[in-house]
């Protein structure tokens, strides 16, 4: 039997390989990068069943436009005459409405809760020492009346959908964050969210896969395919040909290029973000999002990671230190007593979130192909949704039909639209 080739060794590709291997499959993961650093290694590591509203939602367009005029703002689209970008923006605009949000909620909730359960199973099997999963919820902090209104509405939506959400006063927040002042009006607490160490998870998964016979081929890019009818029989790589029985495309922000290679349209843009780690003094204890600044704060004992910004850009190599400054300034705005020195450029991590224009991932069979599936486009939730995506793809391969509704994630939903 020929192997299944997984294109892309980010967190989605690794979890896909993990579940395929568990089913007894022979698996080869190929990645054009070094598999040491990618979008899956330096992110905030939050597992967020609370995130049931897709990025494309009412209010995002107006907010996005106002943010475009500040060099430190959390959102930016690099203006350029690029057909793909214009197309993507048009689709984003079309989906930024209440109907799309209402339709998306049951899908995002279903896959998120499933993924959280798979993480808990993963911890039960492999132990928690390495990945440091902290099942302590997520706090959405706000400073302004407008922020309060927005977050209270989201809490209400979450409760209506059967999720737990608590609106907290400043005093309540003091109990969760006892070591320092938190300068906010209040917050919403989602007790069922969690966070983990993404770089440790990534390392543990790679080691596990290698120990179980999965080949991980780094610095090997896919340049083409060989086919027979509607089946791929081999992938052509920068280092030769690999015969295969199935192909799983988990190539993050670059998945649109693979779709193009296969003859269909899959709109995708990279949403660049930055993070940095600081010494955690005085110690922050509660994973939080500083909502007006769109900055994440993930504590890991003596270290804490701050992350943010979404630059729709095709340049992964550049670091915009003005935006990093924006993230840094928000720390003191929310935690005035936190002791922080501005990190030097070499301490800044950057990653490209794979963003679909409707804020929903692409999971399932590729249109027109019998033995090809995609798992990509998870935007701000790739870590959160990776186990469920991997399991769904592995089940697809064996023909196992689950109960989770996934039709909103159809890979071919833009294939014919221009
Ligand atoms: C600042 C920041 C904070 C974030 N915080 C969170 C969070 O708290 N929770 C959460 O769930 N998500 C978070 N995310 C998002 C998350 O990091 C991504 O959604 C996730 O890492 C995407 O994983 P992936 O496997 O799809 O893509 P990637 O990690 O980008 O992996 C794709 C891989 O495919 C490879 N590839 C591409 N093209 C080819 C080719 N032709 N041939 C071979 N290989 C190829 C690439 O080299 C890459 O290694 C955050 C992101 C950022 C930037």
């Amino acid at each position: 039997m020929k192997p299944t080739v997984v294109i892309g060794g980010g967190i989605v590709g690794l979890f896909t390989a993990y579940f395929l291997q568990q089913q007894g499959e022979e698996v080869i993961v190929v990645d054009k990068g070094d598999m040491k650093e990618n979008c899956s290694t330096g992110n905030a590591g939050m597992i967020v069943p609370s995130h049931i509203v897709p990025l494309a939602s009412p209010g995002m367009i107006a907010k996005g436009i106002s943010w475009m005029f500040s060099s430190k703002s959390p959102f930016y689209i690099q203006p350029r005459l690029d057909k793909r970008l214009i197309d993507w923006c048009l689709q984003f605009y079309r989906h930024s409405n209440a109907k799309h949000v209402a339709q998306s909620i049951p899908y995002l909730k279903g896959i998120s809760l499933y993924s959280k359960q798979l993480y808990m199973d993963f911890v039960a099997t492999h132990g928690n020492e390495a990945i440091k999963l902290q099942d302590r919820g997520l706090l959405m902090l706000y400073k302004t009346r407008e922020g309060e209104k927005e977050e209270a509405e989201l809490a209400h939506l979450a409760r209506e959908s059967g999720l737990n959400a608590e609106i907290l006063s400043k005093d309540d927040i003091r109990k969760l964050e006892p070591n320092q002042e938190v300068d906010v009006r209040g917050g919403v607490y989602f007790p069922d969210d969690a966070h983990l160490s993404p770089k440790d998870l990534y390392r543990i998964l790679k080691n596990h896969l290698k120990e179980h016979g999965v080949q991980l081929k780094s610095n090997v890019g896919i340049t083409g395919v060989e086919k027979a009818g509607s089946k791929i029989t081999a992938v052509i790589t920068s280092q030769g040909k690999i015969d295969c029985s199935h192909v799983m495309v988990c190539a993050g922000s670059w998945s649109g290029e693979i779709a193009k290679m296969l003859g269909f349209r899959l709109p995708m843009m990279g949403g660049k973000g930055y993070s940095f780690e600081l010494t955690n003094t005085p110690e922050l204890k509660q994973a939080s999002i500083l909502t007006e600044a769109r900055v994440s704060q993930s504590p890991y004992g003596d270290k804490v990671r701050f992350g943010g910004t979404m630059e729709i850009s095709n340049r992964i190599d550049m670091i915009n230190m003005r935006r990093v400054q924006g993230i840094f300034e928000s720390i003191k705005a929310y935690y005035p007593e936190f002791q922080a020195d501005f990190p030097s450029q070499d301490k800044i991590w950057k990653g490209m979130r794979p963003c679909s224009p409707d804020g929903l991932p692409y999971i399932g069979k590729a249109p027109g192909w019998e033995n090809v599936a995609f798992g990509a486009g998870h935007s701000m939730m790739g870590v959160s949704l990776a186990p469920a995506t991997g399991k769904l793809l592995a089940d697809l391969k064996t023909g196992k039909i689950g109960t989770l509704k996934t039709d909103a994630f159809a890979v071919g939903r833009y294939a014919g639209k221009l």
Side-chain angles (χ1 to χ4, degrees):
M1 186 66 180
K2 290 176 190 161
T4 294
V5 170
V6 177
I7 302 177
I11 196 65
V12 176
L14 292 195
F15 264 115
T16 302
Y18 175 81
F19 286 111
L20 284 167
Q21 186 280 325
Q22 262 189 7
Q23 291 175 182
E25 312 274 339
E26 194 190 330
V27 188
I28 300 178
V29 180
V30 291
D31 197 296
K32 67 176 180 178
D34 61 8
M35 288 189 73
K36 289 187 180 128
E37 280 283 321
N38 52 34
C39 193
S40 301
T41 57
N43 57 69
M46 291 173 177
I47 300 165
V48 282
S50 63
H51 281 37
I52 50 172
V53 172
L55 188 61
S57 54
M60 264 313 282
I61 298 290
K63 227 179 251 163
I65 290 171
S66 71
W67 279 331
M68 287 286 287
F69 296 100
S70 163
S71 62
K72 292 184 193 167
S73 74
F75 182 78
Y76 181 70
I77 298 181
Q78 193 187 53
R80 55 194 190 275
L81 274 176
D82 170 347
K83 187 176 170 309
R84 265 186 345 128
L85 175 66
I86 295 166
D87 207 26
W88 187 95
C89 289
L90 214 61
Q91 289 296 346
F92 186 88
Y93 175 74
R94 279 187 193 145
H95 287 93
S96 295
N97 58 60
K99 187 174 165 215
H100 174 62
V101 170
Q103 283 171 345
S104 303
I105 285 176
Y107 290 92
L108 287 176
K109 182 188 152 195
I111 191 170
S112 287
L113 290 174
Y114 182 41
S115 219
K116 168 96 189 276
Q117 185 51 51
L118 291 170
Y119 266 121
M120 300 322 278
D121 297 348
F122 185 87
V123 163
T125 310
H126 300 279
N128 195 20
E129 215 167 303
I131 72 168
K132 304 181 184 89
L133 188 143
Q134 299 180 47
D135 199 10
R136 305 180 39 158
L138 176 68
L139 185 56
M140 309 293 286
L141 294 168
Y142 43 78
K143 293 172 76 67
T144 61
R145 197 179 288 277
E146 201 193 16
E148 179 175 45
K149 185 170 169 280
E150 234 172 72
E151 294 308 317
E153 275 169 16
L154 288 175
H156 178 66
L157 256 185
R159 281 197 199 129
E160 265 187 353
S161 317
L163 297 168
N164 294 311
E166 298 161 27
I167 295 181
L168 301 190
S169 67
K170 226 181 142 156
D171 281 346
D172 299 328
I173 289 166
R174 203 164 284 134
K175 288 181 201 135
L176 288 174
E177 215 58 281
N179 296 330
Q180 61 190 295
E181 198 206 329
V182 185
D183 186 7
V184 290
R185 273 178 84 85
V188 173
Y189 180 60
F190 291 102
D192 302 319
D193 287 7
H195 74 287
L196 51 72
S197 167
K199 69 171 181 246
D200 290 316
L201 171 67
Y202 191 72
R203 180 177 47 80
I204 294 289
L205 263 176
K206 277 200 303 185
N207 289 344
H208 171 89
L209 292 173
K210 279 188 227 160
E211 281 163 17
H212 288 77
V214 174
Q215 290 183 55
L216 304 180
K217 292 178 181 280
S218 49
N219 299 310
V220 176
I222 299 294
T223 54
V225 296
E226 277 184 9
K227 59 176 183 167
S230 56
K231 282 189 171 178
I232 292 183
T233 52
V235 293
I236 317 290
T237 80
S238 49
Q239 292 181 25
K241 190 173 96 169
I242 306 173
D243 291 329
C244 59
S245 69
H246 286 77
V247 175
M248 303 289 179
V249 182
C250 306
S253 299
W254 300 271
S255 301
E257 292 164 23
I258 309 275
K260 195 172 171 197
M261 206 183 272
L262 301 182
F264 70 95
R265 178 167 164 259
L266 184 114
M268 184 85 84
M269 280 286 147
K272 187 159 57 173
Y274 306 110
S275 77
F276 50 82
E277 255 184 23
L278 298 174
T279 304
N280 194 5
T281 354
E283 187 184 350
L284 288 162
K285 289 193 162 291
Q286 176 59 54
S288 301
I289 292 186
L290 321 180
T291 60
E292 288 91 355
R294 297 292 192 275
V295 163
S296 60
Q297 178 270 103
S298 318
Y300 304 99
D302 59 347
K303 296 275 180 214
V304 55
R305 180 173 305 123
F306 293 94
T309 85
M310 171 82 94
E311 286 175 55
I312 302 295
S313 150
N314 53 3
R315 295 284 308 270
I316 180 67
D317 49 324
M318 278 175 48
I319 293 180
N320 183 331
M321 288 305 279
R322 292 287 293 163
R323 279 183 213 287
V324 177
Q325 181 79 36
I327 300 175
F328 183 75
E329 286 173 9
S330 69
I331 302 173
K332 282 273 178 201
Y334 286 74
Y335 307 112
E337 292 164 9
F338 191 80
Q339 290 166 30
D341 289 326
F342 187 58
S344 55
Q345 188 157 334
D346 60 319
K347 297 281 188 298
I348 310 299
W349 172 88
K350 58 189 181 320
M352 289 290 235
R353 301 173 185 90
C355 299
S356 67
D358 53 19
L360 300 177
Y362 300 103
I363 306 171
K365 253 176 108 279
W369 294 93
E370 269 179 69
N371 64 344
V372 185
F374 275 60
H378 299 76
S379 186
M380 299 139 18
M381 297 186 282
V383 174
S384 202
L385 303 183
T389 305
K391 183 80 173 82
L392 285 168
L393 293 183
D395 285 349
L396 187 71
K397 160 98 206 295
T398 49
K400 189 174 158 200
I401 298 172
T403 52
L404 198 68
K405 273 176 66 155
T406 57
D407 51 300
F409 308 142
V411 178
R413 64 188 183 269
Y414 294 101
K417 298 180 202 162
L418 269 177

